[in-house]
Amino acid sequence: MPGELREVRSLLDRYAGADSARIGIAMTEANSNAGGGAFTSRPNGLFAAEAMMTALENGVFTVDWWDTHNGAGAISTVNGETDHGDMGMLSNGSCTGGVCEPAVNTPFAPYYGIKTLGALSDPGDTMVASGASGPEVSSHAVLRAGGDLSVLLLNKSAGAAHTVDLRYAGFTPASGAPDVQRWAPGDDGPVDAPGTATAASATLAPYSLTVLTMHPKSGTGSSAATVGAPGAPRTTAVAADSATLSWPAATGPVDRYEVYEQLGARSQLLGSSTGTSVTIPNLPAGSRHAVNVLARDQAGRLSRPSVPLTFTTGTPGGSTCTVSYRVTSGWGNGFVSDLVVSNVGPAAVDGWTLTFDWPSAGQSVSSAWNANVTSEGRRVHVTNGENNGRLAPNGGNSATFGFVGGNDGANPSPTAFTLNGTVCRTIS
């Protein structure tokens, strides 16, 4: 979902131009349907919470669950629980083959999954980055308007409890135990679960959602800062290796502003300024960055973050090579791409290697023509074919080739190509 939403936003940026920022993305139908999967049972409750938070974290402003009432479908058993094959949140009391749903308006699992999000956040709170080190636990975090930190932890294992260690960046919890709300097997909806977590660790029941709310240590955190969040940042210039950002000033006595890039659950400082703009140097060509601006007060405390800004650097306008990449057809989990490579420098190229990285982990090459293609993870190496190894100077000819690829999820186009070690100018 994150990659696909990035593709939607990139298309809006491409075709709506300056109006893109004013166009919101609504997810108007969401449910689990992987071919007869769980609908009313517990896995779909976890999916509902995970899908809604993931969508909101990636720029969607509203998510609609399909739907309130639906009707019984194929009956199955999921981890000892009857699944009625109903895509609704609430029972409508219908039957399939003599097996009937519970009384009308009885909540199904997705109802409780969505309800759990009410313990995680309120209007005015700020979503912040979080992450988990293993595949069976995932997390989502919210900085509360009053300075508390709430964390949603999902244990996706059907039979194993997990004890997780909690680590923080930019937040110091108070010494007391956090507030805990949990939805686990045997719970009648989200319930208080005191004693199951500390500020340092939590034990997660199988197939459960747990929300921890930690209070900040006195005198720490954004609620103690004497400055407000900076206004929404924007780019005023983007080059192949740098970007200039500006933003409206924060309220209060600001010592300096700091620009942080999100790298999963981590962040790194890209630049700082005593004014309301900064130029970030030494960025890779064709690289994508998601940043926030924070203000630091005169006591060294950081404000709440600005709204995020995402930008992609360009490619060198004065490069001695150009590359055109175009997807000519696609069918959901596969595609065909055509590429054209040109040498616009003053010297001929005899034999070439083109290198690029897939933006998404689910992309791959299965076959190619007019070139030889190999892959190492996301890195793709292309060498010339028998008849297109010589590239004349000053754009005298071009090498054209293509391949059939596969994609599991998003299929964004590569943004930077290197020809014999030189970063090329990417053209549409």
Side-chain angles (χ1 to χ4, degrees):
M1 189 185 295
E4 291 175 345
L5 288 170
R6 283 196 296 270
E7 278 200 88
V8 173
R9 177 52 63 188
S10 68
L11 289 170
L12 290 172
D13 292 342
R14 179 176 179 180
Y15 292 108
D19 291 327
S20 175
R22 299 181 12 236
I23 301 174
I25 301 174
M27 185 172 289
T28 57
E29 183 175 322
N31 206 318
S32 172
N33 187 359
F39 286 118
T40 68
S41 52
R42 183 165 291 273
N44 207 21
L46 272 65
F47 174 80
E50 181 94 300
M52 285 194 167
M53 281 306 300
T54 301
L56 294 170
E57 289 165 347
N58 287 275
V60 170
F61 72 87
T62 186
V63 184
D64 297 339
W65 187 260
W66 179 266
D67 56 359
T68 307
H69 296 95
N70 202 304
I75 306 299
S76 62
T77 300
V78 178
N79 204 40
E81 179 183 7
T82 299
D83 192 293
H84 296 277
D86 189 325
M87 298 181 76
M89 284 194 295
L90 306 175
S91 169
N92 74 349
S94 57
C95 304
T96 296
V99 179
C100 296
E101 295 182 349
V104 174
N105 290 333
T106 298
F108 289 138
Y111 173 89
Y112 292 122
I114 296 168
K115 185 177 181 179
T116 302
L117 299 183
L120 178 67
S121 61
D122 291 303
D125 297 342
T126 302
M127 292 178 288
V128 294
S130 65
S133 59
E136 292 193 327
V137 174
S138 60
S139 67
H140 304 271
V142 169
L143 183 62
R144 299 282 197 157
D148 290 349
L149 178 69
S150 291
V151 180
L152 170 64
L153 298 169
L154 297 91
N155 181 358
K156 295 177 277 191
S157 170
H162 287 290
T163 297
V164 297
D165 296 326
L166 304 173
R167 301 176 184 176
Y168 309 87
F171 180 85
T172 304
S175 58
D179 299 329
V180 183
Q181 277 240 317
R182 181 194 68 192
W183 180 58
D187 293 336
D188 186 16
V191 298
D192 293 330
T196 59
T198 68
S201 69
T203 298
L204 311 177
Y207 265 179
S208 67
L209 301 172
T210 302
V211 176
L212 312 177
T213 298
M214 275 74 64
H215 309 296
K217 182 179 179 181
S218 179
T220 68
S222 60
S223 59
T226 58
V227 291
R234 62 186 182 93
T235 54
T236 57
V238 178
D241 59 356
S242 66
T244 299
L245 282 58
S246 65
W247 54 88
T251 58
V254 176
D255 179 68
R256 65 183 182 276
Y257 295 95
E258 298 177 355
V259 179
Y260 289 88
E261 178 177 20
Q262 289 302 138
L263 301 171
R266 300 182 297 107
S267 61
Q268 68 174 351
L269 180 65
L270 289 185
S272 65
S273 172
T274 55
T276 56
S277 66
V278 69
T279 296
I280 303 171
N282 303 320
L283 299 175
S287 58
R288 180 184 180 275
H289 304 271
V291 301
N292 301 85
V293 182
L294 288 81
R296 193 176 289 276
D297 69 14
Q298 294 173 350
R301 295 168 297 209
L302 282 171
S303 71
R304 299 175 74 84
S306 71
V307 298
L309 169 69
T310 300
F311 64 90
T312 301
T313 57
T315 50
S319 176
T320 56
C321 56
T322 65
V323 174
S324 168
Y325 178 95
R326 188 167 62 96
V327 176
T328 58
S329 63
W331 48 92
N333 61 355
F335 61 97
V336 176
S337 290
D338 287 340
L339 291 89
V340 180
V341 179
S342 299
N343 168 32
V344 295
V349 172
D350 287 302
W352 50 265
T353 297
L354 186 73
T355 304
F356 65 89
D357 292 327
W358 290 120
S360 174
Q363 294 171 288
S364 61
V365 176
S366 56
S367 61
W369 60 93
N370 295 339
N372 305 296
V373 181
T374 59
S375 300
E376 299 173 6
R378 293 193 184 187
R379 178 64 54 87
V380 179
H381 300 274
V382 185
T383 57
N384 58 269
E386 291 184 7
N387 302 314
N388 59 3
R390 190 176 195 278
L391 297 175
N394 303 315
N397 68 330
S398 298
T400 300
F401 66 95
F403 52 75
V404 177
N407 60 291
D408 180 10
N411 187 31
S413 297
T415 53
F417 300 85
T418 300
L419 183 73
N420 290 356
T422 297
V423 179
C424 301
R425 176 167 58 91
T426 303
I427 58 178
S428 58

